[in-house]
């Protein structure tokens, strides 16, 4: 009599599909972790560039620890607050549209009016300047 559970060759053949699934999940986890590291690194670089510019303007110095903390703050806000709100607004508007639009971003900022105003001003400037230097001096 043969005991299937005790037979190592049988154990491997029974779990083959599950092991393949585990490998796929491991690959997905590795890709997600790499993407997360890449996003965090890009975000830290962007925060660093802003800090360098602001430090020059204000004649200050920001420590590396503060830059890491600011980068983490932005990442956590973007992933835990901003993204879910944007998805919720985009799904609610226009019968579950699949595109996040400027209107959705403006809705997220409705509780922070000065940032909402800055966003809209910056977008208007980027789209089409409404005045030139000559017009503003008249």
């Amino acid at each position: 009599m043969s005991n299937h559970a005790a037979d190592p060759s049988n154990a491997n053949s029974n779990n083959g599909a599950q092991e393949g699934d585990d490998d796929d999940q491991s690959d997905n986890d590795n890709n997600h972790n790499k993407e997360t590291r890449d996003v965090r690194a890009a975000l830290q670089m962007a925060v660093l560039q802003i800090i360098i510019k602001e430090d020059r303007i204000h004649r200050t110095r920001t420590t590396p620890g503060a830059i890491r903390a600011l980068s983490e703050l932005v990442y956590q806000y973007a992933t835990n607050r901003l993204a879910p709100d944007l998805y919720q607004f985009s799904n609610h508007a226009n019968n579950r549209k699949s595109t996040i639009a400027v209107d959705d971003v403006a809705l997220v900022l409705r509780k922070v009016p000065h940032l909402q105003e800055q966003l809209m001003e910056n977008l208007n400037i980027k789209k089409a300047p409404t005045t030139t230097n000559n017009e503003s001096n008249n």
Side-chain angles (χ1 to χ4, degrees):
M1 281 197 205
S2 163
N3 184 346
H4 290 290
D7 184 359
S9 64
N10 241 358
N12 286 340
S13 65
N14 289 338
N15 293 327
Q18 184 178 0
E19 286 175 13
D21 291 344
D22 289 345
D23 289 344
D24 290 343
Q25 183 62 42
S26 178
D27 288 344
N28 288 340
D29 290 346
N30 288 339
N31 289 339
H32 177 71
N33 290 339
K34 183 183 180 325
E35 288 173 4
T36 299
R37 283 191 309 271
D38 291 348
V39 167
R40 284 177 179 261
L43 183 60
Q44 189 165 0
M45 183 58 70
V47 168
L48 176 63
Q49 290 172 346
I50 292 167
I51 294 292
I52 289 170
K53 179 182 171 191
E54 293 298 316
D55 277 351
R56 285 184 186 143
I57 292 169
H58 300 286
R59 296 179 185 212
T60 57
R61 182 182 171 278
T62 305
T63 67
I67 293 168
R68 284 191 303 275
L70 285 168
S71 299
E72 184 63 19
L73 172 70
V74 171
Y75 179 81
Q76 290 300 324
Y77 176 75
T79 57
N80 295 321
R81 295 293 306 248
L82 184 60
D85 285 350
L86 288 171
Y87 290 123
Q88 185 176 16
F89 289 134
S90 72
N91 284 330
H92 183 263
N94 296 329
N95 298 323
R96 302 193 182 278
K97 63 180 181 165
S98 61
T99 302
I100 295 172
V102 174
D103 293 346
D104 300 316
V105 178
L107 278 172
V108 169
L109 293 176
R110 75 192 182 287
K111 293 181 181 178
V112 192
H114 70 279
L115 288 180
Q116 190 178 37
E117 288 172 20
Q118 285 180 344
L119 172 72
M120 300 316 283
E121 286 175 14
N122 287 339
L123 291 177
N124 287 338
I125 290 169
K126 289 179 183 178
K127 286 182 180 177
T130 56
T131 61
T132 65
N133 287 340
N134 292 338
E135 291 174 358
S136 62
N137 290 334
N138 292 337

